[in-house]
Every structure is written in structure tokens, then in C-alpha cells.
Amino acid sequence: DQQVKQNSPSLSVQEGRISILNCDYTNSMFDYFLWYKKYPAEGPTFLISISSIKDKNEDGRFTVFLNKSAKHLSLHIVPSQPGDSAVYFCAASKPTGNQFYFGTGTSLTVIP
Amino acid sequence: ETGVTQSPTHLIKTRGQQVTLRCSSQSGHNTVSWYQQALGQGPQFIFQYYREEENGRGNFPPRFSGLQFPNYSSELNVNALELDDSALYLCASSPSGKSSYEQYFGPGTRLTVT
């Protein structure tokens, strides 16, 4: 049972434009959400997170939006750079914080 | 500050055998989680250890077991290997407290079961 879903396996964006990666979840108990970035042959790297008490969190070029009523979050990257090309995973956690549920990932390609 | 390391990098085993994978946590981190990532999938949570005790377990059978040592390094053991166990195994360490949500992953061990 996939409780965190990323329905777009891949996304291509021109350099300088906005990249929007989407994630949906089914479990209303999730209270913390994270985005990870993964390059080939490396483990996922933490990118940005958001608590369920917020609807937006920003860190430089990266912004995560959370819509609790729709059980949807998105990651915006502005402006997109070729170095952003990677697989992006969203993940969610319940209040206990001891189990993380990952989506299947979206492969982002930023075209120079 | 050293990051999370895992060994070995790659491993090939035969169905029915047993395997031990190792993880060295980032300095100062007392929590470690293990994940299985099948091809084309996201990481699936296996279990988490906090101060040498299991602190949560995902939907994996008992033949997946773990240990965490006083220096916070850890092992993942898988008995009676099956073909479907072929995957990338990731460990992730995190500090205790508020920042425990932020996990730091190792590069993974690629296990192939033939």
C-alpha cells in the first residue's frame, strides 16, 4: 500500500525556468514531510522539509508547499539549474518520527 | 566530520544464503534506519534502531534483523535470501531530538541474489 505517491516519473525543464514536483499522500496521520534529492551512485540527500503546522517553507531556490486538505505537497525550484538534475523523493512521517514513507521518485532533467 | 558509510558496495549471493550489511553512522548520531530500495521504487523502511534498541519496524519478515552497537554503527542481517531481496540497501543516521527527522543516508549496498 503506497501511502506516498509521486505520479510523475520524470520531468524536463529548461534552465532558468521553474520546476514543480508533486507528491500526494493518503495517511492523515502524517505530520512531517521531507524532500530528498538523489544523484546516481549516491544516497538520498536531505533538501527541505515542512511541518504540518505550516503551509510553506522556503530555502533559497527551493520552496515546499503543503495543502493538508488535499493531502498534497509540491516542491518548487526557481530558477532551475542543470545541477538540479537528479531524482527527487518526497517522504512523510507520523508524529512518532521513527518510520518514513517514501514516494517512488521523480527524475528531473534541467536542460541547459 | 565523516558522513555515513556502508560496506560492502556490491554483493552477490545465492538464494538461501545469509548476508550481513554494515553501516557506520555519522558522528554524533544515535539513531539509524535501514531501507530497501528496489529498482524503480522509493526506499522502503525496514527498521530503525535508537541506542541499540529496535525503535520501529516496517512490513518486512523476521528474517530481516538488525543490530546497533555502542559506537552506533549497525548491521542488517538477512537470512534465507530470496530473489526478491535483490535491491539497494540504504542506511540513514540521524541525531536525537527535534532534528531527528533529518536523516543522512549512506551510498548504499547493492545486493544481487541469484
Side-chain angles (χ1 to χ4, degrees), chain B residues 13 17 21 24 39 41 48 54 60 65 82 110 114:
Chain B
K13 288 286 190 177
Q17 286 188 315
L21 310 182
S24 179
L39 204 59
Q41 301 296 313
Q48 183 185 85
E54 189 177 289
F60 279 81
S65 62
E82 300 176 0
R110 173 73 62 188
T114 62

Side-chain angles (χ1 to χ4, degrees), chain A residues 4 6 23 32-36 73 89-93 100-103:
Chain A
V4 177
Q6 293 176 258
C23 179
Y32 203 81
F33 304 88
L34 309 93
W35 283 94
Y36 283 86
L73 65 156
F89 292 99
C90 69
S93 174
F100 291 80
Y101 299 80
F102 281 78

Side-chain angles (χ1 to χ4, degrees), chain B:
Chain B
E1 182 182 87
T2 55
V4 179
T5 60
Q6 292 185 244
S7 62
T9 307
H10 296 89
L11 200 53
I12 299 174
K13 288 286 190 177
T14 302
R15 189 171 48 184
Q17 286 188 315
Q18 178 266 343
V19 69
T20 298
L21 310 182
R22 294 178 174 83
C23 173
S24 179
S25 298
Q26 188 160 321
S27 177
H29 289 185
N30 56 16
T31 302
V32 65
S33 301
W34 284 90
Y35 293 84
Q36 179 195 68
Q37 186 179 9
L39 204 59
Q41 301 296 313
Q44 297 290 313
F45 177 77
I46 302 175
F47 43 58
Q48 183 185 85
Y49 278 80
Y50 170 68
R51 293 186 175 179
E52 304 176 57
E53 297 284 334
E54 189 177 289
N55 186 42
R57 189 177 182 92
N59 191 25
F60 279 81
R63 60 189 184 84
F64 285 78
S65 62
L67 278 174
Q68 187 183 31
F69 300 101
N71 66 354
Y72 301 136
S73 66
S74 69
E75 290 181 353
L76 164 66
N77 299 289
V78 187
N79 293 322
L81 283 166
E82 300 176 0
L83 296 179
D84 284 349
D85 296 333
S86 295
L88 179 69
Y89 288 85
L90 296 161
C91 78
S93 71
S94 52
S96 60
K98 271 187 160 179
S99 51
S100 63
Y101 286 106
E102 298 174 8
Q103 298 187 316
Y104 297 81
F105 283 84
T109 293
R110 173 73 62 188
L111 173 65
T112 302
V113 182
T114 62

